[in-house]
Amino acid sequence: MNYIGSKYKLSDFIKSTVYSVVGKDLSNKVFCDLFAGTGIVGRKFKKEVRQVISNDFEYYSFVLNKNYIENHLEIEDKQELIDKLNNLLLIENGFIYQNYCLGSGSERQYFSDENGKKIDTIRTKIQEWKQNNRINDSQYYFLLASLLESADKVANTASVYGAFLKHLKKSAQKELILQSADFEINDNEHQVFNQNSNELIQRIQGDILYLDPPYNIRQYGSNYHMLNTIARYKQFEPKGKTGLPAYQKSKYCSKNFVLQEFDNLIKQANFEYIFLSYNNEGLMSVADVQNTMSKYGNYHLEKIAYQRFKADKTENRNHKANKTEEYLHILKK
Ligand SMILES: C[S@@+](CC[C@H](N)C(=O)[O-])C[C@H]1O[C@@H](n2cnc3c(N)ncnc32)[C@H](O)[C@@H]1O
């Protein structure tokens, strides 16, 4: 998934830095990914550590991580379930088609008509199976994560869901095919939460805390609202041109609140090692981060040059350079 702030390309750098600081044998360690997003960092450590604790306060992210992190044994009847969902008779009265596709008269076009109907059809069937106990929790989150990722591939947006495109782009014209969201199989049990970082931190403890909060004012709840809508699938009244639901706001996206929120987080963290990803263009300056972390133990910094996130192809033309610096701030408490 093309996700704002994704650490997909940086995950090897993060892993090798953790190795160099903590050591290569992590088999006894509890690793927490507190702002997990797509879950890619937790996934990198899932087979290395005793337990991954994964958290994000967006519900779609919770669903992805319930699958990619908490699921750790083979999914029963995996292919049979996927095949059934791909071959259902499409319904027309579902929430996505009625509110976010052109053919229903909604005046919005986040998906082609066929794909909107298919999302509704699959989502409705997954819920029906869950209610009838035809599937268990592991299968439920596996299927939901598969649907979120497969739907995201055919979304008619420039990348995020802040707006839809006027004309159906090429990838959005393709038929949505449900593809399985495969995860690492391993013996250990992992934990996934859907909470505010600063509340959860008071109730957990472990060895390695990885922090990847938002860097700027872009709220994930508005940029990825469609994924929340598909994941929750609860009725509401979509308003305005984009049909944006009410969404929660992160203090990490606010210049006024971020520093105090961050300081509280570090202060309360019951972890020996803390790694923070943050780039040099964030709401907190490098000095802000350094001063805050240094108050609580031994601090040092690692840097790497990095390609800027592209919301769409034209966006970067306005920037002087496509390269930015990505920082890994390290604290031993
Ligand atoms: C930079 S992204 C993380 C990206 C992730 N490391 C990845 O590679 O996919 C920041 C994440 O923090 C989440 N978030 C923002 N404020 C939060 C808060 N107060 N508590 C928990 N999660 C929060 C957002 O929903 C978003 O998924």
Side-chain angles (χ1 to χ4, degrees), residues 3 6-7 35-38 40 56-58 196-197 212 214 220 250:
Y3 195 62
S6 165
K7 295 298 170 293
F35 300 84
T38 61
I40 193 68
D56 196 288
F57 79 169
E58 292 302 335
N196 186 313
S197 53
D212 189 20
Y220 285 78
S250 173

Side-chain angles (χ1 to χ4, degrees), residues 85-96:
L85 291 173
N86 267 325
N87 289 294
L88 296 167
L89 212 61
L90 300 189
I91 61 170
E92 298 212 343
N93 60 351
F95 194 74
I96 301 299

Side-chain angles (χ1 to χ4, degrees), residues 66-174:
K66 284 289 273 187
N67 177 55
Y68 284 118
I69 302 296
E70 196 168 304
N71 276 347
H72 63 113
L73 302 174
E74 292 286 359
I75 295 293
E76 273 171 62
D77 306 332
K78 178 170 125 176
Q79 203 48 49
E80 187 195 325
L81 294 171
I82 294 273
D83 290 346
K84 275 198 176 143
L85 291 173
N86 267 325
N87 289 294
L88 296 167
L89 212 61
L90 300 189
I91 61 170
E92 298 212 343
N93 60 351
F95 194 74
I96 301 299
Y97 176 65
Q98 287 301 326
N99 293 292
Y100 297 102
C101 297
L102 221 48
S104 61
S106 76
E107 296 182 6
R108 303 183 189 107
Q109 192 174 207
Y110 280 96
F111 296 101
S112 71
D113 290 347
E114 288 311 286
N115 286 339
K117 290 177 201 169
K118 194 157 179 186
I119 292 168
D120 286 324
T121 306
I122 293 175
R123 183 66 187 85
T124 304
K125 184 56 80 181
I126 294 172
Q127 204 58 35
E128 190 189 301
W129 282 346
K130 180 76 172 60
Q131 262 150 18
N132 299 340
N133 292 323
R134 160 78 177 80
I135 53 175
N136 58 30
D137 266 9
S138 303
Q139 291 167 313
Y140 179 70
Y141 287 111
F142 161 72
L143 292 173
L144 278 190
S146 303
L147 177 58
L148 288 181
E149 295 209 325
S150 305
D152 187 64
K153 285 201 181 96
V154 295
N156 188 38
T157 62
S159 166
V160 296
Y161 294 87
F164 54 84
L165 300 172
K166 216 166 165 191
H167 301 289
L168 273 184
K169 68 176 183 181
K170 244 191 164 156
S171 55
Q173 290 171 22
K174 290 192 183 148

Side-chain angles (χ1 to χ4, degrees), residues 32-37 53-58 61-62 65 191-198 200 204:
C32 175
D33 187 7
L34 197 63
F35 300 84
I53 301 173
S54 175
N55 174 64
D56 196 288
F57 79 169
E58 292 302 335
S61 166
F62 174 71
N65 285 290
Q191 276 188 291
V192 178
F193 295 95
N194 185 205
Q195 294 185 26
N196 186 313
S197 53
N198 286 46
L200 181 65
I204 55 171

